[in-house]
Amino acid sequence: MPVSSPDPYLDANLAVALDALLTEQSVTRAAARLHTSPAAMSRTLARLRRVLHDPLLVRAGQAMVPTPRAEALRDEAAAVVRRLAALLTPGGGIDPATLRRTFTVQASDLVGAALAPGLLELARREAPGVSLRVSAEEWEAGPALREGRIDLEIGAIDHVDPETRVEDLVTLRMTAGVRAGHPLAEGDLTPAGLAAAEHVAASRRGRFTGPLDAALAEHGLSRRVGTVVPGHLAAMALAAAGDVVCLVPAALPGEPPTPLTDAAHALGLRLLDIPLALPPVKIGMAWHPRHTADGAHQWLRGAVRRVLRPARKG
């Protein structure tokens, strides 16, 4: 309801005070309710009278009674205070079952394939109104996060803007993936045997070399990469169909299995320990800080953690 007022602005405290005064019909009790002094509440009542051009509460013997205007405002004042309380309540305690949201996650083909089944299962159980869109990797995720085109980037995070929030999820090692009948599947894998085999590389930038080549070079060895494909799933499919070696990220020794190896196992690949010092692979997630306190986004990040960080058994 628009009102004229000599005051330059109206603050939310006036609505809260009006609700208390009309509910308690006593300056003293309203002051106690709002943890202030009766003198301060009297000044607030005087201000409300000036703003609303109505006495609001008037003396009737030892008590105060509301004016007709105050009676008309009672329910509206209470509703405004309830809406203010809801507006200023922290959003972290959201009930996932009430969510109606589509999340866009940017990830490589392998990470997306490992993540999607677990995320969708959690959504079915906890947040049936949530939908998931997995988008292909872009050259720069920072602008996409900043502009809201994606909610999360998941993978090897190495190109973030200064304000981007990053959380490490799991540390992996690279293994050699081969079909069950591949010659390398027999006996222990050696650097020379690995170098002599034909390889398929996964690189969205089309690169033929990587950390494995640097590690082989330290032993005076080099490998032949016959094919470069844009994603790990395609590399695994080629390895499953022929005598080529692909690289598959797997859990560190002693750590729980990771869903990032599920696709390799589904294709029947054998995962061989590589007898070389290769750098670990860190998988993390990145998001824009405006989503940090958002309850829905907190559920999403928690779900990603549960999928990619399997709990230890026993």
Side-chain angles (χ1 to χ4, degrees), residues 43-299:
R43 291 192 296 270
T44 302
L45 175 58
R47 185 180 176 193
L48 283 165
R49 285 167 169 166
R50 292 195 305 271
V51 168
L52 298 175
H53 303 292
D54 189 271
L56 298 174
L57 295 173
V58 296
R59 283 283 173 193
Q62 297 298 313
M64 298 189 79
V65 295
T67 66
R69 178 75 187 283
E71 291 281 9
L73 289 174
R74 189 198 309 270
D75 290 344
E76 185 175 351
V80 167
V81 171
R82 286 196 300 270
R83 289 196 296 271
L84 282 171
L87 177 66
L88 299 177
T89 297
I94 194 167
D95 180 3
T98 66
L99 288 178
R100 297 295 181 270
R101 185 113 161 229
T102 296
F103 291 112
T104 300
V105 175
Q106 177 174 289
S108 69
D109 61 341
L110 180 61
V111 173
L115 187 65
L119 272 185
L120 291 175
E121 177 59 28
L122 285 175
R124 289 189 192 101
R125 295 203 315 257
E126 301 175 10
V130 163
S131 300
L132 180 67
R133 179 190 297 115
V134 180
S135 69
E137 290 179 297
E138 294 182 297
W139 292 106
E140 291 294 338
L145 289 168
R146 189 186 313 115
E147 296 163 11
R149 289 184 283 122
I150 62 175
D151 295 289
L152 274 181
E153 181 193 10
I154 304 174
I157 311 296
D158 58 2
H159 52 269
V160 297
D161 292 332
E163 76 271 18
T164 303
R165 304 292 176 87
V166 179
E167 178 182 331
D168 289 337
L169 294 169
V170 63
T171 300
L172 307 170
R173 62 192 172 107
M174 278 299 183
T175 63
V178 297
R179 67 177 183 86
H182 193 286
L184 290 183
E186 302 298 329
D188 293 332
L189 183 62
T190 65
L194 183 61
E198 183 176 353
H199 292 250
V200 54
S203 171
R204 61 191 176 95
R205 295 179 174 87
R207 293 174 178 168
F208 280 79
T209 60
L212 178 57
D213 299 278
L216 286 171
E218 292 183 2
H219 293 261
L221 300 168
S222 62
R223 63 172 178 156
R224 179 179 182 274
V225 177
T227 308
V228 178
V229 292
H232 283 280
L233 294 181
M236 291 179 190
L238 286 176
D243 286 344
V244 294
V245 180
C246 69
L247 294 179
V248 179
L252 296 174
E255 293 296 317
T258 168
L260 289 162
T261 58
D262 288 352
H265 294 315
L267 288 168
L269 292 180
R270 294 275 307 276
L271 303 185
L272 311 177
D273 291 334
I274 296 176
L276 295 166
L278 295 178
V281 178
K282 290 189 176 182
I283 302 297
M285 60 180 169
W287 67 94
H288 194 272
R290 70 174 176 274
H291 293 308
T292 297
D294 176 55
H297 204 276
Q298 288 176 351
W299 177 87

